[in-house]
């Protein structure tokens, strides 16, 4: 390396010398650079300049090299217009330029020797100059290998950090070590340096670095750098940066409930996550406090090689104090951390009914819902379809009937714990004697016709239906109603007496009569109606005329009510019509809304 620096110095002084020589100009002067550097495999060029006094020209130029025994070997003989190469190893690799400079191609390690330029100029005599040819090879980018086994901060001797190899260079370079970009000042015992010479003559240099590590070094990045001289300048090549595996015991533990305790509800899967800052992670153990100082080992619920305890489907009894304990196998130190798990729950959901079920039709009840939980609760009521019908812990139901929806649920929700809810179903039973809701009466029939008598009722408990006439009964259920069709042939007796539908259960009996009307008789009554209507209209007209007449004569005092009656005769007429109809034919009025509506068109036709 020192040679490189010297070469630069010599090259400079050679330049000065040339100037001096030219200035002096008294005798034959030959000059070449003191040192020429050439990269192995490249071409070396040695220039030779000379000064011949009295305008003389040279007669010859000879190039030599100096061999190991310090004797000269001629390479070539140059005269005006001719270059004569001697039979040496260089014959194929050398050439002489226009300017008489010697070029050697494919420079090899052995070419590092002294070359001589000798100029002969007749009467001016002979002059010569020597040049050292230095050869070099730039090293390859160094390779770094971190300690593959990892290093413990507790190791007693100084551990090996990494090894750095710089291959195939000449001369052998220096290697320095760096951590996080800063060069390390290392003691002699911290670096092991080996240098091997390859068969090519090039050097391979290995540097192994030893240093103590701390836990912070888990993030440190190390690299090595090779340094070499080139044309008088320092050059450097850096290796890649590597991290080393550092082993250190845990110093801190963190124990967490996931999801957070305040959101844990019964049935959830809960993880207790224990984290230690040691490397490698220590051995984890979990315990739950059952009683005072009685710890239950839960390690069998731990995921292998991790600090995660899995609790599946927790319930109230999973609440309590948990502890995570670590054991560092390196130095056998123990650490522990506790956490409290709270499992939120809703239990003992009760619905009370006042008065208690079953209740009578038409009465009212109050449903009260109550539950137990460590968190605040909200109450809602829902019907059978899941529709919300009320909020708050009470539900009032009035005027209950058999038909009122009777199944409700009380939904208890904990607003602070998403998803925590419980429901309780309640059934409000309405009991009572049967109620006949539809009956085919009156029924317009013809004698000997086969007709259906229909009776429909509702009750809880389920009632039974009976007819007082013989026929084929067909019972069926429609919604909550029970109905019966009795198919009968209309006999004279039946037409006269009608039929009776009797519905009964434990709580009572209801009966309804079906009136059978002969359609012919009905037709007659229709006639009567028409006559009655006509008569009524006539009566009204006559009455109107009389009143009008009397009023004109002034016999009746002119009151507001009286005036109205006369100015709006139409309204009055209608009223009378309806009255007459309903007086004379209550059956007809019933028919308008009756179950057996199909008979009406018949009546109208006649
Ligand atoms: C050298 O030769 C050149 C022409 O070739 C001439 O001009 C010059 O004067 C000569 N110098 C000497 C010192 O003879
Ligand atoms: C290599 O180290 C030697 C001795 O410390 C020193 O003289 C030389 O200059 C160094 N070379 C480089 C390229 O730094
Ligand atoms: C809670 O769960 C444990 C097991 O997971 C079970 O043994 C226990 O009976 C459960 N307790 C209740 C009140 O459900
Ligand atoms: C109860 O219901 C019946 C039939 O739906 C109705 O006629 C009655 O007016 C209701 N009574 C009250 C107090 O709401
Ligand atoms: C109400 O709930 C009871 C059981 O609780 C069920 O048997 C009945 O069918 C339900 N009623 C209706 C109308 O869904
Ligand atoms: C019962 O009789 C009525 C009247 O004839 C009829 O409309 C109805 O379809 C019958 N019901 C059944 C279930 O047969
Ligand atoms: C009468 O009732 C029976 C049985 O319910 C039914 O099959 C039949 O169709 C009904 N007749 C009429 C005319 O509706
Ligand atoms: C019904 O038929 C039975 C025999 O089939 C008879 O004894 C009874 O008198 C009949 N009842 C009526 C009301 O016709």
């Amino acid at each position: 390396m020192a040679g490189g620096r010297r070469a630069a110095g010599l090259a400079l002084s050679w330049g000065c010398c040339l100037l001096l020589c030219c200035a002096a100009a008294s005798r034959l002067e030959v000059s070449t650079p003191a040192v020429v550097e050439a990269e192995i495999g490249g071409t070396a060029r040695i220039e030779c300049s000379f000064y011949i006094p009295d305008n003389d020209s040279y007669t010859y130029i000879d190039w030599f090299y100096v061999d190991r025994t310090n004797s000269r070997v001629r390479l070539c003989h140059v005269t005006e217009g001719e270059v004569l190469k001697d039979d040496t190893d260089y014959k194929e690799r050398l050439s002489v330029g226009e300017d008489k400079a010697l070029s050697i191609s494919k420079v090899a390690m052995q070419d590092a020797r002294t070359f001589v330029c000798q100029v002969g100029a007749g009467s001016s005599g002979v002059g010569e100059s020597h040049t050292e040819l230095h050869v070099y090879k730039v090293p390859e980018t160094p390779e770094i290998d971190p300690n593959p086994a990892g290093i413990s901060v507790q190791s007693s001797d100084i551990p090996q950090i990494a090894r750095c190899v710089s291959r195939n260079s000449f001369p052998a370079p220096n290697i320095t070590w760096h951590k996080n970009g800063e060069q390390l000042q290392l003691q002699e015992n911290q670096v092991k340096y080996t240098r091997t010479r390859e068969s090519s003559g090039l050097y391979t240099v290995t540097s192994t670095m030893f240093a103590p590590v701390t836990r912070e070094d888990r993030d440190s990045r190390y690299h090595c750098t090779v340094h070499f001289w080139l044309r008088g300048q320092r050059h450097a090549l850096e290796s890649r940066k590597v991290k080393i595996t550092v082993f250190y015991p845990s110093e801190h533990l963190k124990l967490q409930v996931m999801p957070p305790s305040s959101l844990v509800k019964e049935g959830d899967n809960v993880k207790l996550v224990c984290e230690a800052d040691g490397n490698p992670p220590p051995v984890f153990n979990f315990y739950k406090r059952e009683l005072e100082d009685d710890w239950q080992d839960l390690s069998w619920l731990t995921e292998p090689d991790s600090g995660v305890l899995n609790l599946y489907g927790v319930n109230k009894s999973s609440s309590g104090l948990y502890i995570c304990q670590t054991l560092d196998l390196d130095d056998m130190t123990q650490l522990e951390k506790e956490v409290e798990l709270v499992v939120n729950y809703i239990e003992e959901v009760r619905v009370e009914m006042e008065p208690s079920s079953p209740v009578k039709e038409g009465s009212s009840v109050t449903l009260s819902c109550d539950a137990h939980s460590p968190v605040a609760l909200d109450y809602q009521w829902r019907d059978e379809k899941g529709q919300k019908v009320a909020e708050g812990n009470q539900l009032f139901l009035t005027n209950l009937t058999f038909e009122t929806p009777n199944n409700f649920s009380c939904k208890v929700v904990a607003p602070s714990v998403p998803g925590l809810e419980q429901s309780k179903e309640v059934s409000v039973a309405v009991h009572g004697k049967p109620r006949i809701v539809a009956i085919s009466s009156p029924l317009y029939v013809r004698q000997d016709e086969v007709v259906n008598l229909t009776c429909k009722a509702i009750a809880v408990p389920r009632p039974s239906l009976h007819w007082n006439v013989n026929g084929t009964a067909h019972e069926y259920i429609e919604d909550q109603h029970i109905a019966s069709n009795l198919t009968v042939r209309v006999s004279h007796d039946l037409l006269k007496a009608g039929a009776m539908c009797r519905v009964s259960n434990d709580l009572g009996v209801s009966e309804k009569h079906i009136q059978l009307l002969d359609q012919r008789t009905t037709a007659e009554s229709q006639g009567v109606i028409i006559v009655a209507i006509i008569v009524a209209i006539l009566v009204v007209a006559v009455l109107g005329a009389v009143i009008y007449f009397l009023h004109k004569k002034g016999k009746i005092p002119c009151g507001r009510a009286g005036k109205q009656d006369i100015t709006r005769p139409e309204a009055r007429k209608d009223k009378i019509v309806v009255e007459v109809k309903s007086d004379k034919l209550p059956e007809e009025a019933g028919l308008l809304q009756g179950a057996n509506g199909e008979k009406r068109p018949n009546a109208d036709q006649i």
Side-chain angles (χ1 to χ4, degrees):
M1 284 296 119
R5 192 176 276 158
R6 203 175 67 223
L10 289 177
L12 196 66
S13 56
W14 169 71
C16 295
C17 171
L18 196 63
L19 286 172
L20 287 170
C21 298
C22 299
S26 55
R27 53 187 202 89
L28 174 61
E29 295 285 353
V30 179
S31 65
T32 56
V35 174
V36 163
E37 286 185 41
E39 184 161 14
I40 290 171
T43 299
R45 192 167 183 277
I46 307 171
E47 289 178 3
C48 180
S49 55
F50 45 86
Y51 171 77
I52 305 169
D54 307 328
N55 259 359
D56 258 355
S57 73
Y58 72 91
T59 40
Y60 69 92
I61 299 169
D62 279 350
W63 281 99
F64 299 89
Y65 71 86
V66 181
D67 73 7
R68 243 182 246 177
T69 59
N70 224 8
S71 52
R72 288 184 178 195
V73 178
R74 198 177 75 173
L75 291 167
C76 59
H77 179 73
V78 183
T79 54
E80 195 74 52
E82 205 183 1
V83 178
L84 247 165
K85 291 182 189 175
D86 289 280
D87 200 7
T88 62
D89 291 348
Y90 288 96
K91 194 173 180 185
E92 301 303 320
R93 295 197 280 138
L94 71 76
S95 62
V96 176
E98 199 80 336
D99 57 353
K100 316 303 173 209
L102 174 73
S103 289
I104 299 165
S105 63
K106 293 176 191 147
V107 170
M109 191 71 66
Q110 308 83 296
D111 300 338
R113 47 175 44 137
T114 304
F115 289 83
V116 180
C117 174
Q118 189 184 70
V119 179
S123 58
S124 299
V126 174
E128 59 180 44
S129 177
H130 293 224
T131 294
E132 291 282 320
L133 178 62
H134 288 180
V135 299
Y136 67 91
K137 178 73 182 166
V138 172
E140 291 168 15
T141 303
E143 286 162 25
I144 187 166
D145 287 309
N147 183 335
I151 303 156
S152 169
V153 295
Q154 290 166 324
S155 73
S156 47
D157 38 40
I158 306 176
Q160 175 183 328
I161 303 290
R163 209 166 66 109
C164 183
V165 181
S166 165
R167 293 183 202 284
N168 297 326
S169 67
F170 189 88
N174 291 355
I175 292 179
T176 54
W177 285 95
H178 306 256
K179 177 165 107 178
N180 299 326
E182 280 187 26
Q183 188 177 341
L184 292 169
Q185 302 305 322
L186 299 165
Q187 309 293 320
E188 222 171 273
N189 62 347
Q190 287 184 264
V191 189
K192 206 173 99 197
Y193 187 80
T194 58
R195 204 164 83 168
T196 49
R197 189 129 199 200
E198 306 291 342
S199 54
S200 59
L202 301 177
Y203 288 107
T204 287
V205 171
T206 304
S207 174
T208 309
M209 196 262 281
F210 301 81
V213 291
T214 63
R215 59 191 296 128
E216 284 70 38
D217 286 327
R218 66 187 184 273
D219 298 322
S220 295
R221 296 164 76 84
Y222 294 87
H223 77 267
C224 61
T225 304
V226 288
H227 302 269
F228 53 94
W229 288 103
L230 187 59
R231 286 188 255 281
Q233 300 229 289
R234 269 186 88 139
H235 288 263
L237 275 175
E238 285 186 5
S239 73
R240 71 193 165 96
K241 295 179 170 62
V242 294
K243 276 186 163 190
I244 51 171
T245 307
V246 181
F247 299 125
Y248 42 88
S250 304
E251 285 180 352
H252 303 100
L253 273 190
K254 203 168 105 183
L255 181 56
Q256 270 182 302
V257 178
M258 306 235 285
S261 227
S262 62
L263 301 179
V264 172
K265 57 182 185 298
E266 278 195 316
D268 281 357
N269 297 336
V270 177
K271 278 184 194 309
L272 298 190
V273 180
C274 191
E275 286 170 324
D277 58 356
N279 184 38
V283 175
F284 294 92
N285 282 301
F286 285 91
Y287 302 91
K288 177 176 191 280
R289 187 163 69 182
E290 287 303 340
L291 294 164
E292 206 62 45
D293 285 332
D294 177 15
W295 295 90
Q296 184 195 354
D297 190 350
L298 296 175
S299 303
W300 58 279
L301 288 170
T302 314
E303 287 174 19
D305 301 324
S306 85
V308 179
L309 176 72
N310 283 308
L311 298 171
Y312 297 106
V314 293
N315 59 29
K316 196 169 113 181
S317 61
S318 312
S319 295
L321 192 66
Y322 288 77
I323 194 164
C324 167
Q325 201 175 65
T326 63
L327 174 65
D328 213 297
L329 295 177
D330 238 16
D331 61 356
M332 291 297 169
T333 50
Q334 281 196 344
L335 292 174
E336 29 175 81
K337 198 89 184 178
E338 315 180 321
V339 77
E340 183 84 33
L341 172 66
V342 178
V343 178
N344 295 297
Y345 58 90
I346 297 175
E347 59 178 21
E348 293 167 34
V349 182
R350 300 181 300 277
V351 178
E352 274 171 17
M353 190 164 140
E354 182 59 43
S356 61
S357 189
V359 296
K360 287 236 177 67
E361 218 188 357
S363 61
S364 303
V365 295
T366 301
L367 302 178
S368 304
C369 190
D370 191 23
H372 182 253
S373 172
V375 286
L377 299 175
D378 279 355
Y379 297 88
Q380 291 177 1
W381 295 90
R382 288 173 187 257
D383 64 14
E384 278 154 14
K385 295 182 190 103
Q387 224 75 25
K388 185 158 85 180
V389 292
E391 288 198 2
N393 72 329
Q394 288 201 317
L395 177 66
F396 303 101
L397 299 170
T398 56
N399 201 10
L400 292 163
T401 65
F402 295 130
E403 289 95 341
T404 334
N406 59 346
N407 286 352
F408 293 91
S409 66
C410 167
K411 186 169 165 189
V412 189
V413 179
S416 64
V417 186
L420 179 57
E421 56 177 58
Q422 291 280 324
S423 289
K424 181 82 180 177
E425 306 262 308
V426 60
S427 197
V428 180
V430 178
H431 279 199
K433 68 169 204 169
R435 175 152 53 79
I436 295 174
V437 298
I439 186 106
S440 58
S441 174
L443 195 58
Y444 294 86
V445 294
R446 272 178 240 260
Q447 196 163 336
D448 292 333
E449 190 187 5
V450 174
V451 296
N452 279 349
L453 307 181
T454 302
C455 182
K456 198 181 208 179
I458 187 166
V460 177
R462 166 93 79 89
S464 52
L465 247 139
H466 295 284
W467 296 94
N468 69 336
V469 291
N470 283 346
T472 316
H474 174 76
E475 248 181 46
Y476 57 96
I477 305 281
E478 234 175 51
D479 301 327
Q480 300 140 277
H481 299 100
I482 178 161
S484 173
N485 271 5
L486 184 73
T487 311
V488 290
R489 178 175 298 276
V490 181
S491 65
H492 179 70
D493 288 348
L494 182 60
L495 192 54
K496 221 167 98 190
M500 188 71 91
C501 168
R502 181 189 162 93
V503 191
S504 63
N505 67 4
D506 294 352
L507 300 173
V509 180
S510 283
E511 287 185 333
K512 269 205 175 146
H513 185 248
I514 296 182
Q515 190 180 11
L516 297 175
L517 296 175
D518 192 332
Q519 275 182 346
R520 262 174 301 157
T521 323
T522 316
E524 277 161 25
S525 7
Q526 292 285 331
V528 172
I529 294 168
I530 292 160
V531 171
I533 289 169
I534 293 166
V535 169
I537 290 168
L538 286 175
V539 167
V540 169
V542 170
L543 208 66
V546 169
I547 290 166
Y548 181 72
F549 181 74
L550 289 178
H551 180 68
K552 273 276 173 162
K553 287 267 168 168
K555 287 280 163 78
I556 291 175
C558 186
R560 269 189 84 185
K563 229 179 198 168
Q564 256 187 350
D565 282 349
I566 291 150
T567 49
R568 298 178 64 188
E570 291 303 318
R572 202 176 161 102
K573 247 191 258 172
D574 286 353
K575 200 177 170 196
I576 290 162
V577 172
V578 171
E579 274 169 8
V580 169
K581 266 177 92 177
S582 52
D583 274 348
K584 291 248 170 178
L585 278 171
E587 326 78 60
E588 175 90 72
L591 183 67
L592 288 170
Q593 305 124 330
N596 211 349
E598 64 172 35
K599 289 294 170 190
R600 185 164 155 75
N602 286 353
D604 280 349
Q605 279 162 14
I606 294 159

